Amino acid sequence: MRLRGRKGIREDIERQKELVVLNAKDYKGKWAELFGNNNPIHAELGMGKGRFISTMSKKYPNINFIGVDMYDELIRKASEKAKVAHEITTEDEDGVLSIPNLRLMLFNIEHIEEAFAEGELERVYLNFSDPWPKKKHARRRLTHPGFVSKYQQILNSKGEIHLKTDSQSLFEFSLNSFADMGLRMRNISLNLHVDGIHPDHVMTEYETKFAGQGMNIHRCEVVIGQDALSAHQEQLQHAAASAVAAESTDSDETAE
Ligand SMILES: C[S@@+](CC[C@H](N)C(=O)[O-])C[C@H]1O[C@@H](n2cnc3c(N)ncnc32)[C@H](O)[C@@H]1O
C-alpha cells in the first residue's frame, strides 16, 4: 500500500480547486460570487471528516454549504466523503470534483471574521466542537463569547447558530455563554436521540459514534439575527395563544 505523505495530501487538496478553498480571505464579501448565486450560506465550523456537510449539501441543493477545518488531512477526507455523498462516479480528466453548492475551506476558526464579511452567512453549525475541559483553555471553546461575537458579526438578519455536543460541560458552558450575551435559545434538548430526532436529521461522524455508545446528545439553536428573533417571538406568541384557546375549550367541556 502506498502511503501519502504530508506533501501528497497537500497536492491532493490543491488539485480540488473547484471544491477546496485554500485562500478563504480572498473571498471575504465575495462568497455569493464564488457560488454564482445569492442562496443562503450555511457553514459548519470544525467539520472533521465532513459527513454532515456533504450530506446536507446533497439534501438541500438551494443552500450553499461551507465546511471549515484547519487540517489538510480532514479536508482531503471530506472531499472523498463529498464525492460519495453526491454519488459522483465521473470526474474530469484531472480528477477534479465540482459540486455547485459545496466548498471545503482550510482555515482556523479563530480568524473567521477575516474570511466572511458582515452578514455573509445565514447559519453556523457547531457540531461536537472540542470541549477544552480545562478552565485555562475556556477561551478556545468555539462557544466562548469571543467566538460568538465573531459569529454575530458574520451572520445575517436570519442568522442562527445550531449546536450539538455530547459534552455536558461544554453544553452548560455554551448555554451560559449565550445567556450572558443576551441571546435567545430554542429547541433545547438534553438527550436528542431520546426526545426524538426529526426525520430530516443529519448525523455527524462523532454523533454516530457517541449516540451508538448510548451517550446523551445535547442540542440547541441560538437565535441571532433580528428577523430570526421576530419570527421566534411570533411563534412563542402563537404557541401561547393556542395554549390559552385549548385551556378554555377544556374548561367549557368540563362545565358541560
Ligand atoms: C471533535 S471534531 C468534530 C467533527 C465533526 N463536526 C463531527 O461532529 O463529527 C472537531 C473538529 O473541529 C476542528 N477544529 C477545532 N478547532 C478548530 C479551529 N480553531 N479551526 C478550524 N477547525 C477546528 C478539528 O480539527 C476537528 O476536526
Side-chain angles (χ1 to χ4, degrees):
M1 190 177 73
R2 187 167 148 248
L3 292 174
R4 309 282 288 155
R6 249 179 190 286
K7 197 161 165 263
I9 295 170
R10 181 45 80 122
E11 279 167 2
D12 283 349
I13 64 172
E14 275 173 355
R15 192 178 329 119
Q16 294 304 341
K17 39 190 181 296
E18 298 279 325
L19 186 62
V20 174
V21 177
L22 298 172
N23 51 338
K25 287 184 192 178
D26 293 350
Y27 292 100
K28 181 171 178 171
K30 297 180 190 155
W31 287 94
E33 220 174 283
L34 180 71
F35 282 111
N37 60 54
N38 285 317
N39 290 343
I41 304 177
H42 294 187
E44 183 186 13
L45 305 185
M47 69 166 168
K49 294 179 187 169
R51 181 204 288 178
F52 176 82
I53 205 78
S54 52
T55 312
M56 292 292 280
S57 61
K58 171 76 177 163
K59 212 170 159 74
Y60 302 101
N62 294 329
I63 296 174
N64 296 322
F65 290 91
I66 303 175
V68 182
D69 213 287
M70 59 182 171
Y71 295 113
D72 289 18
E73 173 59 6
L74 292 171
I75 298 285
R76 189 176 67 89
K77 286 204 163 118
S79 69
E80 285 166 4
K81 280 265 157 77
K83 183 177 169 182
V84 175
H86 285 263
E87 296 157 14
I88 298 174
T89 48
T90 49
E91 294 134 288
D92 76 4
E93 282 167 10
D94 300 324
V96 175
L97 297 165
S98 173
I99 301 170
N101 69 328
L102 177 65
R103 293 295 183 278
L104 306 174
M105 168 176 149
L106 182 73
F107 203 73
N108 189 331
I109 300 157
E110 281 175 23
H111 310 291
I112 199 71
E113 78 288 359
E114 294 176 22
F116 296 106
E118 217 173 284
E120 206 162 18
L121 296 183
E122 189 157 300
R123 189 171 300 170
V124 160
Y125 286 102
L126 298 173
N127 291 326
F128 299 84
S129 307
D130 297 323
W132 292 106
K134 287 188 184 153
K135 207 175 169 189
K136 66 175 180 183
H137 292 144
R139 285 182 171 277
R140 297 185 191 175
R141 298 175 194 150
L142 294 186
T143 50
H144 185 279
F147 278 102
V148 178
S149 57
K150 292 184 180 197
Y151 311 150
Q152 280 181 303
Q153 208 179 305
I154 60 179
L155 282 164
N156 67 19
S157 64
K158 293 183 182 166
E160 296 179 358
I161 300 170
H162 289 198
L163 169 75
K164 276 196 279 192
T165 178
D166 60 300
S167 164
Q168 189 182 343
S169 60
L170 179 68
F171 196 59
E172 272 183 24
F173 172 86
S174 306
L175 295 184
N176 280 310
S177 176
F178 301 139
D180 287 349
M181 297 178 78
L183 297 171
R184 296 289 303 197
M185 284 153 272
R186 65 170 189 222
N187 296 329
I188 299 174
S189 170
L190 299 178
N191 197 347
L192 183 66
H193 291 251
V194 167
D195 290 348
I197 46 176
H198 194 273
D200 286 332
H201 184 79
V202 173
M203 304 264 277
T204 79
E205 275 93 357
Y206 272 70
E207 186 172 4
T208 308
K209 182 173 151 198
F210 293 134
Q213 291 169 356
M215 291 171 73
N216 289 4
I217 305 300
H218 315 284
R219 182 179 181 276
C220 82
E221 297 168 5
V222 192
V223 185
I224 302 283
Q226 199 47 52
D227 292 346
L229 190 60
S230 306
H232 172 60
Q233 279 160 347
E234 241 172 65
Q235 274 171 4
L236 289 180
Q237 280 165 5
H238 184 72
S242 305
V244 170
E247 210 170 283
S248 79
T249 313
D250 280 355
S251 53
D252 287 352
E253 280 169 5
T254 314
E256 282 165 15

